[in-house]
Amino acid sequence: MNQRILFFALLWLTLSAQAQTLEECQQAAERNYPLIRQYDLIDKTTDLTVANIQKGWLPQISASAQATYQSDVASFPEQFQQLYQQMGLDMKGLSKDQYRVGIDVSQTVFDGGMIKSQKIIAREQGKVQAAQNEVNLYQVRKRVNEMYFSLLLTDEQIILNNDLQQLLSVNEKKLASMVKHGTAAESDLKNVKAERLSVAQQAINLESQKRMLQAMLSAFCGIEVSHPQKPAATVAGSANNRPEMRLFDAQLRLADAQQKALGAAMMPKLGVFAQGFYGYPGYNMFDDMMHHRWSLNGMVGARLTWNIGALYTHKNDKAKIQLQREITETNRDVFLFNSQLEQIQENEEIARYKKLMADDEELIALRSSVRKAAESKLSHGIIDVNDLIREFNQENAAKVMQSMHEIQMLKQIYDNKYTTNN
């Protein structure tokens, strides 16, 4: 019982690992393509950038140490010094060598919305990168389509090649019997046999091409693709849902966020600060003139700043963002225009193949009828073997063309789906 369960489990895994439809291959290829990992990297990078910007609300702490020697220092006039000496005070004055080890702490209270604007811009930049990655990843579908339909066409050609080999084999046996009874020439038998071997060689090439396409498609999708199925001939809608459209939208939203940030850059900034240092001289200058010793000193306060320099470039910065927005809108118009031209061409190709396919069945029926008549004539010795082989080839060519028309029409339909993403 356990062995049966294991067998069916392995069978299910095997079948589930073999993509049978075009959509399954496309989805598997997107999951397997290394570019898919870019999404997670973009998200992590964006989160780190936003987290760093958010830290702008944390207190900013800086430590410093300095030692200086200056050419002159503040001191009392000589008359004052004589007066102090008469009073018994030794007013040495400030020393020319000075030292300081301190810490400065500042805290933003109001930034005019700058940090918030920077966070919005960072997130919008992340969305632009993700949208660009989606555009790059979408191109994988085009490559899957090329290999998938090439594999379908090769499968059809192999089937038709086998049919032609069987026809030639049947007539080869018929001719062998006729040669044995003296009603056909040995050269006719050899001619048919040579044609069958030539068709068999074509089969070897087709099988090799099939294995190559299967290996390439399987490697590209990351799963085994063994039995591709013909997709349904459903025509795509006309609306354009390509990832490029989402990229253009993301770029426009980024421009809007950047324009809003210009207003925040012109707002005043309010903060509080605290400064403390240990050194010489301190804030009590008179005491330091009398005693050359280090002391602790501190200061707290509030600071309002307004960088009016942002006004100088505001107009130009705003114009640059507007130009970038217009470039994005122009790129979107160009993309839609080119996509529309591609749709026109693809729809015309689809219509052409449909018209060709309308006559394929009748053409094959006529070629089959002529070939059967030629086989009958051969049995009665009233047709040349070369004429019979020509009829075989013409019938097979008609079947090959029917398969090509069908596969090419399906490919054009799915190229049209790729053009519009519908």
Side-chain angles (χ1 to χ4, degrees):
M1 182 67 180
N2 292 334
Q3 291 180 347
R4 291 183 61 186
I5 294 175
L6 179 62
F7 171 76
F8 284 113
L10 291 174
L11 178 63
W12 181 85
L13 289 173
T14 301
L15 292 175
S16 63
Q18 296 177 350
Q20 304 297 320
T21 67
L22 177 60
E23 289 77 9
E24 289 173 342
C25 285
Q26 289 175 343
Q27 294 170 5
E30 290 181 355
R31 291 192 300 268
N32 183 61
Y33 202 62
L35 201 61
I36 192 70
R37 296 194 292 271
Q38 197 81 357
Y39 284 115
D40 187 51
L41 298 176
I42 291 172
D43 289 341
K44 290 180 178 179
T45 302
T46 302
D47 291 341
L48 290 173
T49 302
V50 171
N52 285 341
I53 295 172
Q54 181 65 27
K55 286 179 171 57
W57 287 113
L58 296 177
Q60 305 300 306
I61 303 174
S62 63
S64 62
Q66 69 177 34
T68 62
Y69 183 86
Q70 54 197 64
S71 62
D72 204 357
V73 293
S75 63
F76 285 103
E78 187 176 348
Q79 293 84 353
F80 278 91
Q81 293 181 7
Q82 293 175 357
L83 179 62
Y84 286 134
Q85 288 176 358
Q86 294 174 3
M87 297 172 61
L89 298 174
D90 184 12
M91 191 63 67
K92 300 176 182 179
L94 294 176
S95 176
K96 292 183 178 181
D97 56 319
Q98 300 181 2
Y99 309 91
R100 173 179 293 197
V101 178
I103 294 178
D104 293 344
V105 180
S106 62
Q107 171 66 58
T108 300
V109 177
F110 175 74
D111 70 340
M114 196 64 191
I115 291 178
K116 180 180 179 181
S117 298
Q118 290 176 344
K119 287 165 59 178
I120 293 174
I121 290 175
R123 289 194 179 98
E124 293 299 333
Q125 287 174 336
K127 291 177 182 178
V128 169
Q129 292 175 351
Q132 181 62 62
N133 193 63
E134 184 183 3
V135 170
N136 297 335
L137 192 60
Y138 185 74
Q139 298 173 4
V140 169
R141 297 189 184 185
K142 186 74 170 179
R143 298 172 66 180
V144 171
N145 287 357
E146 295 291 338
M147 291 184 283
Y148 193 90
F149 286 105
S150 295
L151 183 56
L152 282 178
L153 183 58
T154 302
D155 278 343
E156 291 291 326
Q157 290 176 335
I158 289 174
I159 293 173
L160 295 176
N161 181 278
N162 289 333
D163 292 343
L164 181 57
Q165 286 190 65
Q166 290 178 2
L167 277 175
L168 289 169
S169 180
V170 169
N171 282 274
E172 183 182 348
K173 292 178 181 179
K174 186 185 298 182
L175 277 170
S177 176
M178 293 173 66
V179 170
K180 184 177 181 180
H181 293 86
T183 57
E186 182 72 23
S187 59
D188 291 340
L189 176 61
K190 292 180 178 180
N191 199 354
V192 172
K193 184 175 182 179
E195 184 66 21
R196 179 180 61 79
L197 292 175
S198 177
V199 174
Q201 286 183 334
Q202 295 175 12
I204 294 174
N205 292 331
L206 290 171
E207 289 289 348
S208 177
Q209 183 177 357
K210 177 181 178 179
R211 288 193 298 270
M212 178 192 68
L213 289 170
Q214 280 182 331
M216 290 176 60
L217 188 56
S218 297
F220 199 75
C221 296
I223 55 177
E224 182 182 355
V225 182
S226 59
H227 302 292
Q229 297 179 355
K230 288 182 183 178
T234 54
V235 180
S238 58
N240 197 312
N241 193 33
R242 285 280 291 268
E244 286 85 348
M245 302 300 294
R246 291 185 284 279
L247 173 60
F248 297 138
D249 291 340
Q251 290 173 339
L252 291 174
R253 288 194 299 270
L254 174 60
D256 292 339
Q258 290 172 334
Q259 185 167 350
K260 291 180 181 178
L262 294 179
M266 295 190 301
M267 296 293 291
K269 310 295 188 294
L270 177 63
V272 295
F273 66 91
Q275 296 177 344
F277 72 91
Y278 179 64
Y280 172 84
Y283 292 144
N284 191 340
M285 183 178 296
F286 293 106
D287 185 66
D288 291 333
M289 286 181 176
M290 297 177 61
H291 308 96
H292 292 176
R293 60 192 179 192
W294 288 36
S295 62
L296 287 172
N297 301 270
M299 178 190 299
V300 296
R303 182 183 293 116
L304 180 67
T305 59
W306 191 4
N307 181 15
I308 62 174
L311 292 171
Y312 304 153
T313 60
H314 179 75
K315 183 177 180 181
N316 288 341
D317 290 339
K318 187 175 181 180
K320 284 171 59 178
I321 294 174
Q322 180 60 31
L323 288 174
Q324 186 60 47
R325 183 183 287 108
E326 292 177 3
I327 290 173
T328 300
E329 291 173 347
T330 300
N331 290 337
R332 180 172 59 187
D333 292 340
V334 170
F335 175 77
L336 290 173
F337 182 80
N338 291 334
S339 296
Q340 186 177 12
L341 291 181
E342 290 180 11
Q343 284 182 270
I344 293 174
Q345 181 180 0
E346 289 159 355
N347 288 332
E348 182 59 34
E349 287 293 304
I350 293 171
R352 180 171 70 89
Y353 285 122
K354 285 182 177 180
K355 291 179 182 178
L356 291 173
M357 290 173 62
D359 297 329
D360 281 336
E361 287 292 342
E362 184 179 0
L363 181 60
I364 291 173
L366 291 173
R367 290 297 182 188
S368 297
S369 178
V370 172
R371 185 260 306 166
K372 291 176 182 178
E375 288 179 317
S376 178
K377 291 179 182 179
L378 179 66
S379 301
H380 294 84
I382 57 176
I383 190 175
D384 187 74
V385 170
N386 290 326
D387 294 334
L388 177 63
I389 292 175
R390 185 178 66 252
E391 298 302 334
F392 284 156
N393 290 332
Q394 288 182 345
E395 180 189 16
N396 183 69
K399 292 180 179 179
V400 170
M401 290 304 297
Q402 183 189 39
S403 297
M404 288 182 62
H405 291 159
E406 182 183 9
I407 300 300
Q408 288 173 341
M409 183 196 69
L410 289 174
K411 184 178 182 300
Q412 287 295 328
I413 288 175
Y414 280 84
D415 282 347
N416 186 255
K417 288 177 178 290
Y418 175 85
T419 301
T420 60
N421 193 25
N422 285 317

